[in-house]
Amino acid sequence: MGFAVRSREHGVVVRPDIYSGSPVCSVEFNPFDEHVVAVGCADRKIYRYDTRATAAPVFILDGHEKAVTYTKFLDSRTIVSSSIDACLKMWRPEAAVRRLVRTYKGHSNCLRFVGLSVWRNGGLLCCGSENNHEFVYNHKWSDPIWVHGFGSSTSTTRSASGFVGSVCWRQSSGGRCTMVAGNSDGVLHVYHGMKRPELVQFAVYSLILLKNRKTCHFYKI
């Protein structure tokens, strides 16, 4: 199955199997079930394990064309994955049929880890991109609903080959959200959003991390 699993007194160790040659790219505990972990691997597959019974994975999801870089739980039954095949995918593994619910495309990702985060209360997905933009998807639609780039940044260290490498939603209740994205030039963007029917409006802020200095500049774009 691609893993060697060993139990210990205070936990469970899940390691890549030495015979399969398939590195683990990401691991994610289910925030709704402390015993469940999802694992994304270079063999293009997603494995789910129950730490109480680790002899074999509970299921294996196979649908990406390249290595799976991240896995996130949108809710207790839904997994979102990303891959360097430039796709996000949403899965409902326990469904009798049609485990793959939807594929999301629009961002550029064929080489690097560009991040993946989900806002569970709002049903939104976010990832970075190798074209130096952040992409937000509504879980209901395959195309992005919002795209924003780092091109308007005033950072003097900006490079032509910059890319967004990390994103994170703050898990908040109600209709307001906050997301942070960082790129390869040392720039962080902070986004404050307000949910409206089928739309999210963002106010964009940027935090420029200046090299060789102890101070940061924070300004609104």
Side-chain angles (χ1 to χ4, degrees):
M1 295 297 181
F3 298 96
V5 184
R6 184 176 65 187
S7 296
R8 288 181 173 176
E9 181 180 356
H10 299 294
V12 174
V13 179
V14 180
R15 294 178 176 171
D17 185 90
I18 60 175
Y19 303 106
S20 72
S22 179
V24 172
C25 299
S26 66
V27 293
E28 178 82 357
F29 268 105
N30 186 341
F32 306 96
D33 187 337
E34 62 181 4
H35 302 294
V36 173
V37 60
V39 185
C41 290
D43 64 359
R44 304 174 299 177
K45 298 176 182 178
I46 302 158
Y47 299 80
R48 172 182 149 172
Y49 271 91
D50 188 319
T51 59
R52 297 165 295 184
T54 57
V58 177
F59 57 71
I60 302 174
L61 302 174
D62 188 359
H64 280 289
E65 297 179 1
K66 295 184 179 180
V68 177
T69 50
Y70 298 95
T71 57
K72 301 291 181 182
F73 286 89
L74 184 61
D75 56 44
S76 61
R77 300 179 299 169
T78 307
I79 294 175
V80 178
S81 60
S82 68
S83 167
I84 53 173
D85 61 7
C87 291
L88 307 183
K89 291 183 181 292
M90 184 170 70
W91 313 79
R92 290 211 172 91
E94 298 176 2
V97 295
R98 200 169 176 258
R99 284 184 165 184
L100 177 58
V101 178
R102 191 166 289 108
T103 298
Y104 307 88
K105 294 183 178 181
H107 60 287
S108 174
N109 185 201
C110 62
L111 181 64
R112 300 178 172 93
F113 283 56
V114 296
L116 172 67
S117 188
V118 299
W119 179 30
R120 298 185 182 96
N121 185 64
L124 298 182
L125 324 175
C126 179
C127 66
S129 179
E130 290 169 3
N131 65 359
N132 215 16
H133 286 66
E134 309 96 340
F135 285 72
V136 174
Y137 298 88
N138 187 301
H139 75 284
K140 300 177 182 178
W141 304 315
S142 296
D143 296 325
I145 63 169
W146 189 80
V147 179
H148 188 271
F150 278 74
S152 57
S153 166
T154 60
S155 171
T156 58
T157 63
R158 189 177 67 225
S159 64
S161 59
F163 65 95
V164 177
S166 186
V167 294
C168 184
W169 290 102
R170 183 173 66 184
Q171 300 302 322
S172 58
S173 59
R176 296 181 179 274
C177 62
T178 301
M179 185 187 71
V180 177
N183 82 340
S184 56
D185 292 326
V187 180
L188 295 178
H189 279 184
V190 182
Y191 302 89
H192 299 290
M194 178 180 297
K195 186 177 181 181
R196 295 185 178 181
E198 308 300 340
L199 294 172
V200 175
Q201 293 186 345
F202 289 97
V204 184
Y205 294 82
S206 182
L207 177 64
I208 306 300
L209 306 181
L210 300 180
K211 294 183 178 180
N212 302 321
R213 295 188 182 182
K214 296 182 179 180
T215 59
C216 298
H217 291 258
F218 186 78
Y219 63 91
K220 184 174 181 179
I221 294 176

